[in-house]
Amino acid sequence: MPVFEEDHEPQAQASNMNDQPTEPNAEITYPPMGFGKHKPKMLLMGLKKSGKTSISNVVLRKMRPQETLFLHATTTINKQSMAFMDFQIWDLPGQIDYLDGTYDASSIFGGVGGIIWVIDVQDNYMQPIQRLTDTIVQLTEHHPDIKYFVFIHKTDSLTDDYREDTIRDIVQKITDGLFDEGLENPPVNYYPTSIFDHTIFEAFSKVIQGLVPQLPTYEALLNSVAASCRFQKVYIVDVMSKVFIAEDTSPSHTKTYELCCDFIDFIMDISDLYSFARPPAADAGSQRAQDIASQTAEAQIKSFRGFAIYLREVNAFLSLIGISREPNFDNEKAMVDYNVQIFQDKLLEVIQRG
């Protein structure tokens, strides 16, 4: 039977998360995270009704997938902020061509770190492929550093064989189209996604990791803590959005993403019942209030689908999640706590340096 341990105060940021609005046009803002001056913006693009707004609401606003059926079509640029990197995501209406000369392309695409292009596999995907190809060709001349992430979306509606054939066909058509325009090996990555399973969080995590400037440093730190704690896999995750900011360099599998997402959902449910808002240490009056404000949330499950899972809060937004198959993991918890505390101190130093 799973055992839930919480050695410190419960995850306080979970209760704060539920205070955020879920309306599609409501603005969510967060305090800056100190990730340096590198604050790119990311664009969500694609034809209308491809699923862009549904993706941003499910990932960033905790909207349930079933509720996206009632979203209206996007008619203006919706800007949302991401807590941990302090940069914006712009959801662009799909019925407008921003490169036709009518709009100031430099104001839209200037400073963009990545573009997520959403293709609806339930629709005829030849037109969005052509629009994507034209966009990449036009932007490459003036904005060569932009990375492109193609979400082959709504793949849950396809059978396994047809899904693989469709993904292969889309990738081949985009590659051929760019090659015909003289672009070889462009910075394009492809991810099959659906808001009804974990694939959208996994894909969004890969996008964010591609934009984090300190990713090699984070990976080195995670490799170190994975070796010292004998974790099979370890992540830095934004618990609010279930976006994985970084992971160690060992092979990753969708199963581990699913495991961590389900664990986060479990922790959030527990936190809804038991957590409370902790005052900032600087504003806390009594010594006890200061002690409460400075405590770090922690949780552990000894047996969760055959794994031991360890969660440790890094700061108000980020947490470390480690997965282990060690049979005596619980007996080594003191060693794990010590090593993770060292990791936390070093990570916060890196974040502060930017």
Side-chain angles (χ1 to χ4, degrees), residues 71-325:
L71 291 175
H72 299 292
T74 303
T75 57
T76 60
I77 297 178
N78 289 333
K79 301 178 182 180
Q80 302 183 56
S81 298
M82 302 195 74
F84 44 83
M85 285 185 67
D86 191 27
F87 73 89
Q88 289 188 324
I89 295 179
W90 292 15
D91 180 8
L92 304 185
Q95 63 269 26
I96 301 175
D97 184 0
Y98 295 93
L99 294 171
D100 64 357
T102 306
Y103 299 88
D104 181 9
S106 61
S107 65
I108 298 175
F109 298 99
V112 171
I115 293 177
I116 296 176
W117 191 277
V118 183
I119 296 178
D120 181 0
V121 298
Q122 295 180 342
D123 200 358
N124 186 339
Y125 49 75
M126 293 305 301
Q127 184 181 359
I129 287 178
Q130 186 60 51
R131 281 276 298 273
L132 170 61
T133 302
D134 294 341
T135 299
I136 294 176
V137 170
Q138 293 184 58
L139 290 179
T140 297
E141 181 178 358
H142 300 288
H143 306 281
D145 296 329
I146 294 179
K147 300 177 182 179
Y148 301 90
F149 308 90
V150 180
F151 282 11
I152 305 174
H153 197 45
K154 305 179 184 178
T155 54
D156 58 306
S157 62
L158 308 177
T159 62
D160 292 341
D161 292 340
Y162 188 51
R163 181 188 303 116
E164 295 301 322
D165 291 341
T166 301
I167 294 172
R168 190 180 304 109
D169 186 46
I170 291 175
V171 172
Q172 189 63 50
K173 282 181 167 55
I174 294 174
T175 303
D176 291 345
L178 293 174
F179 184 82
D180 293 341
E181 296 291 341
L183 295 179
E184 297 185 30
N185 301 317
V188 183
N189 295 279
Y190 303 89
Y191 304 99
T193 59
S194 170
I195 61 174
F196 291 96
D197 56 32
H198 301 90
T199 55
I200 189 61
F201 297 101
E202 182 177 0
F204 220 95
S205 299
K206 294 297 184 182
V207 172
I208 296 301
Q209 291 172 23
L211 300 179
V212 174
Q214 303 94 339
L215 183 63
T217 303
Y218 297 154
E219 290 178 341
L221 288 174
L222 290 170
N223 285 339
S224 177
V225 75
S228 60
C229 298
R230 288 187 280 193
F231 286 133
Q232 179 175 326
K233 193 69 183 175
V234 62
Y235 303 92
I236 304 172
V237 58
D238 174 60
V239 178
M240 298 184 188
S241 62
K242 292 190 291 189
V243 170
F244 297 81
I245 314 305
E247 60 186 83
D248 67 297
T249 56
S250 64
S252 181
H253 304 283
T254 300
K255 180 181 178 181
T256 59
Y257 276 99
E258 295 176 353
L259 191 70
C260 289
C261 286
D262 290 342
F263 179 62
I264 291 171
D265 289 336
F266 172 74
I267 294 299
M268 298 296 283
D269 291 340
I270 296 295
S271 298
D272 286 342
L273 296 175
Y274 299 109
S275 63
F276 59 92
R278 291 173 293 179
D283 300 334
S286 66
Q287 181 61 44
R288 172 161 175 74
Q290 294 180 19
D291 293 341
I292 292 175
S294 62
Q295 285 179 332
T296 299
E298 179 184 315
Q300 177 186 343
I301 289 186
K302 296 180 181 178
S303 179
F304 192 75
R305 301 180 186 174
F307 295 89
I309 307 181
Y310 177 93
L311 181 145
R312 177 74 172 267
E313 183 183 60
V314 175
N315 59 21
F317 301 98
L318 305 179
S319 294
L320 175 140
I321 295 183
I323 300 176
S324 175
R325 280 190 177 274

Side-chain angles (χ1 to χ4, degrees), residues 320-340:
L320 175 140
I321 295 183
I323 300 176
S324 175
R325 280 190 177 274
E326 289 290 327
N328 298 320
F329 179 80
D330 187 56
N331 298 331
E332 301 174 351
K333 187 173 182 300
M335 178 197 70
V336 172
D337 288 340
Y338 175 78
N339 290 325
V340 170

